[in-house]
């Protein structure tokens, strides 16, 4: 059994390959090929633009793939949403498709753009957005560099942003959010009902989610006398209840937990003050919840 998996080529590619590596599955790519091999002999990969991923998964050329929710919605195709993976090109957050107009324009809200030209790569979603508001506009497909089109080539744009910095640099003002999006694992319907392929896809999603959960988190191990345990537990901002184990010396227990890496700087000294000993901070590869 071979699972045909689509990896998004382009802006998400590097972040996706890094996520797979943290999950324990190395993907080996070549600058001269759209095909990639993996350390798992049962998974073969193909690099596909995120905009096209849903189409190839829906048609069965791919069993599963990673792409943005935005491109799934834009395609209008019915694929199986397997898992949400909240990461983008630069950050771990969602991205937004926003309606934006020049800062010095009179446009303050979507209704002000009636009869105007809107440039975007997300044509169907944009049309549906304005249609839902009862606003007639002309939506034109943009091949790229959408931010530079207003005011000469378009009155406003619908463009994706993580931080809004590119829009500000081009003197554009956000009027509204059209769609929030994040990366998804999607599957072909036929592959999803095939037991072996479904198990493989679910395991892949599990490991990718685990790698995401481990990002920016660390593990903590420590020993503490039982009479001081409550004080130590009061300090710990645990992911869930920490694991507590009795040591060979019955007066002591071992505590294991997971915390945000940024919290360790303040938490570890407070644990020492609460009488914890043998405190060990260690990196995490995956956290499976």
């Amino acid at each position: 059994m071979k699972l045909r998996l689509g990896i998004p080529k382009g802006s998400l590619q590097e972040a996706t390959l890094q996520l797979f590596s943290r999950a324990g599955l190395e993907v080996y790519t070549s600058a001269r090929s759209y095909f990639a091999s993996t350390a798992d002999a049962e998974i073969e990969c193909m690099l596909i633009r995120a905009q096209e991923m849903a189409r190839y998964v829906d048609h069965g050329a791919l069993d599963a793939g990673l792409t943005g929710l935005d491109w799934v919605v834009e395609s209008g195709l019915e694929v199986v949403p397997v898992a949400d993976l909240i990461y983008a090109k630069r950050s771990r957050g969602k991205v937004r498709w926003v309606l934006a107009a020049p800062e010095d324009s009179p446009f303050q809200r979507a209704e002000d753009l009636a009869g105007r030209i809107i440039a975007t790569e997300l044509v169907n979603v944009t049309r549906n957005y304005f249609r839902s508001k009862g606003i007639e506009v002309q939506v034109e497909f943009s091949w790229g560099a959408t931010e530079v089109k207003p005011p000469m080539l378009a009155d406003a744009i619908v463009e994706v942003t993580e931080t809004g910095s590119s829009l500000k640099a081009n003197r554009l003002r956000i009027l509204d959010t059209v769609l929030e999006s994040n990366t998804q694992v999607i599957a072909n319907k036929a592959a999803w009902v095939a037991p072996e392929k479904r198990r493989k896809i679910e395991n892949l999603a599990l490991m990718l989610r685990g790698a995401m959960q481990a990002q920016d988190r660390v593990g903590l191990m420590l020993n503490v006398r039982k009479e001081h345990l409550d004080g130590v537990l009061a300090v710990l901002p645990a992911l869930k209840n920490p694991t507590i184990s009795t040591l060979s010396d019955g007066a002591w227990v071992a505590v294991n937990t997971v915390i945000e890496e940024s919290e360790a700087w303040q938490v570890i000294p407070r644990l020492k003050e609460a009488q914890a000993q043998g405190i060990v901070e260690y990196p995490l590869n995956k956290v499976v919840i």
Side-chain angles (χ1 to χ4, degrees):
M1 186 276 299
K2 283 275 190 181
L3 183 74
R4 300 185 303 275
L5 179 68
I7 301 290
K9 184 173 179 61
S11 61
L12 275 179
Q13 181 176 332
E14 189 57 35
T16 301
L17 295 178
Q18 290 176 6
L19 177 60
F20 271 74
S21 180
R22 292 197 304 271
L25 182 64
E26 295 292 339
V27 179
Y28 307 104
T29 62
S30 168
R32 298 182 178 181
S33 176
Y34 281 83
F35 295 94
S37 59
T38 75
D40 187 331
E42 293 182 345
I43 298 179
E44 55 187 26
C45 296
M46 188 172 184
L47 298 175
I48 298 289
R49 285 178 61 82
Q51 294 90 325
E52 301 178 289
M53 191 72 71
R55 176 170 18 124
Y56 292 116
V57 170
D58 176 70
H59 293 176
L62 297 170
D63 297 312
L66 281 78
T67 189
L69 169 64
D70 44 5
W71 299 117
V72 176
V73 175
E74 175 71 6
S75 74
L77 299 171
E78 294 186 7
V79 293
V80 180
V82 178
D84 286 311
L85 303 172
I86 312 299
Y87 73 94
K89 180 180 178 180
R90 299 184 185 89
S91 69
R92 290 183 58 194
K94 292 187 176 186
V95 298
R96 293 188 299 152
W97 284 87
V98 297
L99 175 64
E103 290 177 346
D104 58 359
S105 73
F107 310 123
Q108 299 295 326
R109 55 194 188 126
E111 288 77 5
D112 297 335
L113 291 161
R116 303 287 184 163
I117 296 174
I118 314 298
T120 184
E121 192 176 356
L122 206 70
V123 171
N124 292 329
V125 169
T126 300
R127 283 177 178 155
N128 290 336
Y129 166 81
F130 280 101
R131 190 178 296 122
S132 70
K133 291 178 173 290
I135 304 169
E136 291 289 335
V137 297
Q138 180 180 337
V139 179
E140 294 185 350
F141 179 76
S142 173
W143 289 97
T146 307
E147 296 99 327
V148 304
K149 294 190 173 177
M152 293 184 62
L153 303 178
D155 296 292
I157 65 172
V158 170
E159 179 65 335
V160 67
T161 182
E162 286 185 54
T163 64
S165 58
S166 180
L167 295 172
K168 290 179 182 177
N170 286 279
R171 299 179 180 178
L172 296 171
R173 179 179 65 250
I174 295 175
L175 307 184
D176 195 10
T177 296
V178 174
L179 178 71
E180 280 195 344
S181 179
N182 57 266
T183 308
Q184 285 189 327
V185 179
I186 59 173
N188 169 268
K189 290 182 179 179
W192 191 243
V193 298
E196 288 188 13
K197 288 190 175 181
R198 176 167 180 164
R199 187 179 306 111
K200 198 73 176 178
I201 295 168
E202 288 180 328
N203 289 345
L204 172 69
L206 175 72
M207 297 300 278
L208 292 174
R209 282 197 304 263
M212 295 267 333
Q213 292 290 341
Q215 220 173 340
D216 299 328
R217 288 182 170 137
V218 294
L220 278 184
M221 295 189 303
L222 58 93
N223 297 332
V224 62
R225 296 186 68 88
K226 287 182 177 179
E227 62 262 32
H228 300 307
L229 179 59
D230 288 343
V232 164
L233 295 180
V235 172
L236 289 174
L239 180 64
K240 290 206 172 181
N241 290 333
T243 300
I244 301 172
S245 308
T246 302
L247 298 178
S248 56
D249 183 340
W252 290 76
V253 294
V255 179
N256 278 273
T257 192
V258 174
I259 66 170
E260 298 291 333
E261 186 174 15
S262 60
E263 295 175 334
W265 175 259
Q266 294 181 337
V267 168
I268 290 177
R270 291 176 60 199
L271 289 171
K272 187 65 176 175
E273 291 174 1
Q275 306 301 315
Q277 297 185 18
I279 305 169
V280 177
E281 176 188 333
Y282 55 92
L284 301 171
N285 290 327
K286 286 173 281 296
V287 175
V288 178
I289 299 176

